[in-house]
Amino acid sequence: MDDILGDGGIMKQVVQPGEGPPVPENASVIMHYSGFLEYSDQPFETTLNRRHPRIMKLGRDVTLGGLELGLLTMKKGEFSRFLLQPQYAYGNMGCPPFIPERAVVLYEIHVLDFLDSGLVDKFLTLCPEEQNSSPLSTFLDVVNTLRSFGNRCFNQNQMYHAKDRYKQALKLLETRKSQNVPEKESLQTALLPVYLNLSLTELRLENPQKALKYGNKALQIDRNNTKALFRCGQNAQQCLLMAQGRKPFDSDVNNLLRKVAMSYKESLDKQKDMCSKMFKHFNCRDLNEETG
C-alpha cells in the first residue's frame, strides 16, 4: 500500500485504476463504498445494497477526514482500498456501539463518477452581472454540470430534484446576454437539451401542459428535432387521455384518440417496412445466434 501523506495515517492500494483527472475539492462524488474494522470480513457500513448510490458532496456529506483526503487522490472508475489510522478516521473515542476506541478502519471505494460542484457553487454566488461577464466556456461548464446533476437525479427517479437542477440551468441560459452571433448559437445549442430534459421530466410528473410548453420551446430552436417532436406527440396524447377521463363519451375526443393511435401504428409499420428493405439480404437468424 502507498502512504499518500507520508505519515502512515492513510495507506492506499489501487485495485482498479481510473482515468482522467482526480476528484477536485468540493466535488460531488457518485460512489459505492464499504467500511470495515481491521481484520473484519463484515462491513459496518456499505452502499452496495443500494440500487443507486447517493451523490455525496465533499466537506458536507463526506465528513471523515481520511475518506475525503483519499477521494481527492482517485479518478473516475477507480476502485481502491484505504487503511485509515484513528486520527484520520473516528479518533480516540470511536463511534459506539459500532466503532471501538482508537479503531483502525479499512474503506473500499469505487468512484463511479464525479461532478465539479465546487465550480457551480462558486458561480451561483456571483451576482447576475458577474455571471453574464464570465467567460462563455466557464458559463457552459456550469450549465452542463447542472444538467448532469439533473440527469443523475432523473435516472434515480428523483424527478423533483432533477427538475430543480434543469430549471437552474435554464434560468442561467435564459438570462445570459449573448455578445455576438457565435455566442448566441452556443447558448441555443445548450438550451435545446435542457428544454428536452424538462419536457420529459414534466411528463413523468404528469404535467402534460408544462411538458408540451418545453417541447414547443425545443422545436423553436430546431423544428426538425426528433426528440422534441416525439415529446410533443406524447404530451398531446396525454392531454387527450386526460380529456377522455373527464368526458369518456365525448365523440370528438375519442375520434381524435383513435386517429392518434392509427397514425402511431402507421408510423411503426413504415419503420418496420424501411428496416425490412434495408436488411432484406441480412440473415437475422445469424444475428440472434451471434448475440445470444
Side-chain angles (χ1 to χ4, degrees):
M1 301 185 85
D2 297 322
D3 185 352
I4 67 173
L5 293 180
D7 62 356
I10 305 175
M11 305 297 292
K12 176 181 180 180
Q13 177 189 23
V14 178
V15 180
Q16 173 185 302
E19 57 183 15
V23 175
E25 292 185 5
N26 300 315
S28 293
V29 185
I30 300 96
M31 64 178 176
H32 274 303
Y33 65 89
S34 298
F36 302 82
L37 295 176
E38 196 172 20
Y39 309 119
S40 173
D41 293 330
Q42 296 297 320
F44 58 83
E45 67 170 339
T46 184
T47 62
L48 293 177
N49 53 1
R50 297 178 181 175
R51 182 178 178 184
H52 300 294
R54 288 175 54 203
I55 301 175
M56 303 184 70
K57 184 169 176 60
L58 300 186
R60 185 185 67 194
D61 303 315
V62 181
T63 56
L64 207 64
L67 193 57
E68 184 167 359
L69 290 171
L71 281 166
L72 293 174
T73 70
M74 298 186 70
K75 300 177 180 180
K76 180 180 177 180
E78 180 180 330
F79 176 72
S80 291
R81 296 188 178 100
F82 294 90
L83 189 66
L84 309 180
Q85 296 299 316
Q87 66 270 30
Y88 292 104
Y90 294 93
N92 294 332
M93 296 181 63
C95 188
F98 301 106
I99 313 295
E101 297 177 356
R102 299 190 58 79
V104 176
V105 297
L106 176 75
Y107 271 92
E108 294 183 341
I109 305 174
H110 185 194
V111 173
L112 304 176
D113 201 357
F114 62 84
L115 300 166
D116 191 357
S117 53
L119 175 66
V120 174
D121 295 339
K122 183 178 179 181
F123 190 86
L124 293 180
T125 62
L126 301 175
C127 66
E129 291 77 14
E130 292 173 319
Q131 291 177 355
N132 272 322
S133 61
S134 65
L136 181 62
S137 58
T138 301
F139 179 85
L140 293 177
D141 282 344
V142 170
V143 168
N144 289 332
T145 301
L146 285 169
R147 193 166 67 86
S148 296
F149 266 117
N151 292 345
R152 284 286 177 180
C153 294
F154 184 94
N155 291 333
Q156 296 180 8
N157 205 33
Q158 300 174 10
M159 295 301 159
Y160 286 102
H161 291 300
K163 178 180 175 179
D164 288 342
R165 296 295 188 176
Y166 295 145
K167 290 296 287 289
Q168 279 185 302
L170 179 62
K171 183 179 179 180
L172 289 176
L173 285 165
E174 289 186 335
T175 56
R176 173 87 177 193
K177 297 178 181 178
S178 56
Q179 304 299 320
N180 48 56
V181 173
E183 181 168 329
K184 184 177 181 180
E185 291 176 349
S186 296
L187 295 176
Q188 291 290 295
T189 300
L191 266 170
L192 181 59
V194 175
Y195 283 142
L196 291 172
N197 290 347
L198 273 169
S199 179
L200 182 57
T201 304
E202 293 289 8
L203 190 64
R204 294 289 178 85
L205 291 171
E206 298 184 354
N207 297 322
Q209 292 89 349
K210 291 183 179 179
L212 186 59
K213 179 186 76 172
Y214 290 120
N216 284 329
K217 284 182 175 290
L219 287 175
Q220 290 174 13
I221 296 175
D222 180 4
R223 64 180 181 179
N224 295 317
N225 186 274
T226 305
K227 286 185 177 181
L229 290 167
F230 182 68
R231 296 280 185 274
C232 289
Q234 284 180 300
N235 296 327
Q237 187 177 35
Q238 185 70 15
C239 289
L240 285 170
L241 288 171
M242 291 174 64
Q244 187 186 50
R246 294 176 182 176
K247 292 186 177 182
F249 303 109
D250 189 295
S251 59
D252 290 335
V253 172
N254 291 329
N255 288 336
L256 194 52
L257 267 172
R258 277 194 291 270
K259 289 181 180 179
V260 170
M262 290 176 63
S263 296
Y264 182 69
K265 184 179 182 304
E266 289 174 3
S267 176
L268 287 179
D269 290 342
K270 286 180 180 179
Q271 290 182 28
K272 289 178 182 178
D273 183 58
M274 184 182 299
C275 290
S276 177
K277 290 179 180 177
M278 288 175 62
F279 299 105
K280 63 180 179 180
H281 299 300
F282 191 83
N283 191 328
C284 293
R285 182 177 179 181
D286 292 342
L287 176 62
N288 291 333
E289 290 175 354
E290 290 176 7
T291 58

